[in-house]
Amino acid sequence: MHVCCWGTPCSRLAWQVQCEPELHGSCQPLLSAATLRVNTQPCPASTSTATSTHACMQALVKGQRLIVDLSFEDKMTDAELKSLCQQLAYCYSANARSSKPMHLIFTGVQGRMKECINKQCSGFDNWIATKSEATYLVHFKEETEQLVYLTADSENEIQELDPSKIYIVGGIVDRNRYKNLCAGKAEEEGIATAKLPIGDYVALSSSSVMCTNHVVEIMIRQQELGDWRAAFEAVIPTRKRKAGDTSDAVPEDNIPAVKEEPCAPASAPAPQKQKKDKAAVKGAAATKPRKETASVGK
């Protein structure tokens, strides 16, 4: 099967090649006559899936660019690396569901990071996103002045998204071991930094440092809704809210949690207790006759 320049099998996106060839650009001349005949068949995907795919394909061409910097593999344990890969899957899923997705770019995909992604993120090679082993400085060497690293340690606050900018989110799970990591890296590289205006809209119970997928989804929601408050309220879970915050927080963390065994209902222990009581009564009853018999014998 031919794979187009966007990393997606063309036979799956037949309707796009047929109706919007400009989205495939250099891919179309590479298609054989046999492949083109296959691509004239109707797309078997559902309407919702086709619409989502179409939007993500368009985002690759003209969407707001958002980098996830995956160059911190040396600072994470295997468990933390696995957790990050799970977050990357959430990032991609949130973007794919959006009515106005971003152009996701994963840089630094190499070594342990690449191995873990291939194991943990099913179909990563077919994600409608840009994947690069190079760092963002190399990948965007002609546009370094447009790079903006998002970090809570920045003194600059974003008020609105700039389509010309290329925003960067640090891809790391470190349990807050490293302080000013992303801000320090950006300063060394001479690129701009900025932070989300969380404090203007939401009162947090602790630090404004957030996990990778939360930051990515907030950016996606902001582009989709054009409203920071709505974006924060849709993503930030209740557990991170400060007591007394009356904004419409999501009641639970919207990240799919690791599957756990269901908790027993409050009434569940009752039968066990009752069974224990019956056993106690039975034991008491069995003991009583022996005592009576003994007393009679005397």
Side-chain angles (χ1 to χ4, degrees):
M1 179 181 293
H2 172 75
V3 176
C4 76
C5 55
W6 302 115
T8 307
C10 287
S11 60
R12 230 178 118 196
L13 302 174
W15 60 280
Q16 290 179 349
V17 176
Q18 183 182 9
C19 301
E20 299 196 35
E22 70 275 6
L23 293 182
H24 278 242
S26 60
C27 165
Q28 195 174 21
L30 298 177
L31 301 178
S32 65
T35 306
L36 285 173
R37 282 197 295 273
V38 172
N39 285 341
T40 59
Q41 299 302 315
C43 178
S46 65
T47 302
S48 59
T49 301
T51 301
S52 174
T53 303
H54 176 74
C56 288
M57 291 293 290
Q58 285 189 318
L60 288 179
V61 179
K62 55 184 179 181
Q64 175 78 63
R65 290 171 290 182
L66 181 64
I67 297 172
V68 180
D69 177 16
L70 302 176
S71 64
F72 301 106
E73 64 169 64
D74 61 322
K75 292 179 170 56
M76 289 182 281
T77 64
D78 289 343
E80 289 169 343
L81 205 58
K82 184 176 179 180
S83 177
L84 174 62
C85 289
Q86 189 177 43
Q87 290 187 30
L88 298 181
Y90 299 152
C91 292
Y92 181 72
S93 177
N95 197 53
R97 293 194 309 268
S98 175
S99 61
K100 194 175 181 182
M102 287 185 154
H103 176 181
L104 288 184
I105 304 163
F106 300 94
T107 61
V109 186
Q110 56 180 308
R112 289 171 60 229
M113 186 76 253
K114 185 175 183 179
E115 291 177 6
C116 189
I117 288 179
N118 288 331
K119 287 180 181 179
Q120 299 297 323
C121 301
S122 178
F124 176 72
D125 289 339
N126 290 327
W127 284 8
I128 306 177
T130 296
K131 287 87 70 177
S132 175
E133 293 186 357
T135 66
Y136 50 79
L137 287 178
V138 174
H139 193 82
F140 292 102
K141 59 183 178 181
E142 304 297 333
E143 299 180 86
T144 55
E145 70 283 356
Q146 301 299 337
L147 296 172
V148 179
Y149 215 118
L150 299 178
T151 166
D153 298 309
S154 176
E155 296 182 356
N156 308 312
E157 194 171 82
I158 292 181
Q159 296 304 320
E160 58 183 25
L161 299 184
D162 184 343
S164 68
K165 299 298 182 182
I166 308 170
Y167 297 103
I168 308 170
V169 177
I172 184 171
V173 173
D174 65 346
R175 315 302 176 191
N176 293 324
R177 289 195 305 275
Y178 303 102
K179 306 301 180 183
N180 301 316
L181 180 65
C182 295
K185 181 182 181 183
E187 184 178 355
E188 289 179 5
E189 295 171 340
I191 63 176
T193 63
K195 63 182 177 181
L196 303 180
I198 299 177
D200 296 341
Y201 301 96
V202 177
L204 299 180
S205 59
S206 57
S207 169
S208 58
V209 176
M210 308 187 75
C211 57
T212 300
N213 62 295
H214 275 167
V215 179
V216 170
E217 187 168 356
I218 286 171
M219 293 289 283
I220 293 170
R221 290 299 185 98
Q222 166 59 17
Q223 175 170 263
E224 185 179 61
L225 304 173
D227 185 329
W228 282 116
R229 183 181 297 280
F232 292 136
E233 291 174 353
V235 177
I236 300 177
T238 304
R239 60 181 172 79
K240 290 186 70 70
R241 299 302 186 95
K242 190 173 183 179
D245 184 359
T246 57
S247 59
D248 297 329
V250 286
E252 298 292 340
D253 192 339
N254 67 329
I255 305 176
V258 177
K259 202 169 184 179
E260 299 178 351
E261 291 298 322
C263 297
S267 59
Q272 187 175 357
K273 184 176 180 182
Q274 187 176 7
K275 184 177 181 180
K276 184 176 179 181
D277 292 342
K278 285 181 179 180
V281 172
K282 184 177 181 181
T287 305
K288 189 174 181 181
R290 285 197 294 271
K291 287 183 179 179
E292 291 175 350
T293 302
S295 62
V296 171
K298 288 180 180 178

